[in-house]
């Protein structure tokens, strides 16, 4: 029953390809663990947990580690993306585009010119 409550978390873990994932239920508490690729993916897992269990759920214990702590995320540019749009997606603030540009000056020469399929580093703030 508790596993069904958090099925969205388990599905997200599969979608994100969380490594070394483990799920077990003991005494009415769901224990989940694994390794996310980056902090952004770890945050997505926690957001899904809170969406199902509330701000401080007592029926789930999660131990999610991060394999790459050097970046917040990596983003592959899609058609129609702008640095402002990408910044809003990851940080909630389009003005943080400057930080994304600064982290990618090796491939970007102008913050207004990005191309589909470029892989951008989304830096830790």
């Amino acid at each position: 029953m508790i596993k069904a409550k958090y099925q969205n978390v388990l599905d997200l873990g599969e979608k994100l390809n969380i490594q070394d994932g483990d799920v077990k239920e003991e005494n009415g508490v769901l224990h989940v663990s694994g390794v996310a690729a980056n902090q952004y993916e770890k945050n997505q897992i926690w957001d899904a947990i809170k969406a199902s269990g509330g701000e401080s759920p007592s029926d789930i214990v999660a131990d999610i580690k991060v394999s790459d702590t050097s970046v917040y995320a990596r983003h592959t540019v899609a058609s129609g993306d702008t640095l402002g749009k990408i910044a809003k997606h990851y940080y909630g603030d389009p003005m943080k585009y400057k930080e994304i540009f600064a982290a990618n000056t090796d491939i970007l020469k102008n913050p207004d010119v990005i191309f589909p399929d470029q892989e951008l580093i989304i830096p830790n703030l």
Side-chain angles (χ1 to χ4, degrees):
M1 176 140 150
I2 206 77
K3 195 172 180 182
K5 177 180 177 182
Y6 290 102
Q7 189 60 49
N8 66 319
V9 176
L10 304 178
D11 293 344
L12 180 59
E14 283 187 31
K15 180 181 168 200
L16 296 175
N17 198 25
I18 299 296
Q19 300 298 301
D20 301 323
D22 187 42
V23 178
K24 58 185 164 231
E25 190 175 337
E26 295 175 344
N27 302 318
V29 176
L30 191 63
H31 296 264
V32 296
S33 62
V35 180
N38 53 54
Q39 185 63 43
Y40 177 71
E41 289 185 1
K42 178 179 178 176
N43 290 354
Q44 286 184 293
I45 295 289
W46 278 107
D47 289 346
I49 289 170
K50 291 177 195 175
S52 294
E55 203 55 40
S56 298
S58 60
D59 56 355
I60 187 169
V61 174
D63 180 17
I64 309 298
K65 296 185 179 5
V66 174
S67 66
D68 184 357
T69 58
S70 69
V71 300
Y72 182 66
R74 296 183 186 276
H75 178 86
T76 301
V77 176
S79 181
D81 275 353
T82 65
L83 290 184
K85 183 177 175 183
I86 294 166
K88 181 156 177 62
H89 173 79
Y90 288 100
Y91 303 130
D93 180 357
M95 294 309 293
K96 300 279 186 196
Y97 79 89
K98 297 170 193 164
E99 285 83 348
I100 296 172
F101 177 70
N104 291 281
T105 56
D106 58 326
I107 60 170
L108 300 178
K109 303 305 172 212
N110 180 330
D112 295 323
V113 181
I114 61 174
F115 298 100
D117 299 322
Q118 285 179 311
E119 184 175 292
L120 302 179
I121 291 171
I122 309 302
N124 291 308
L125 295 182

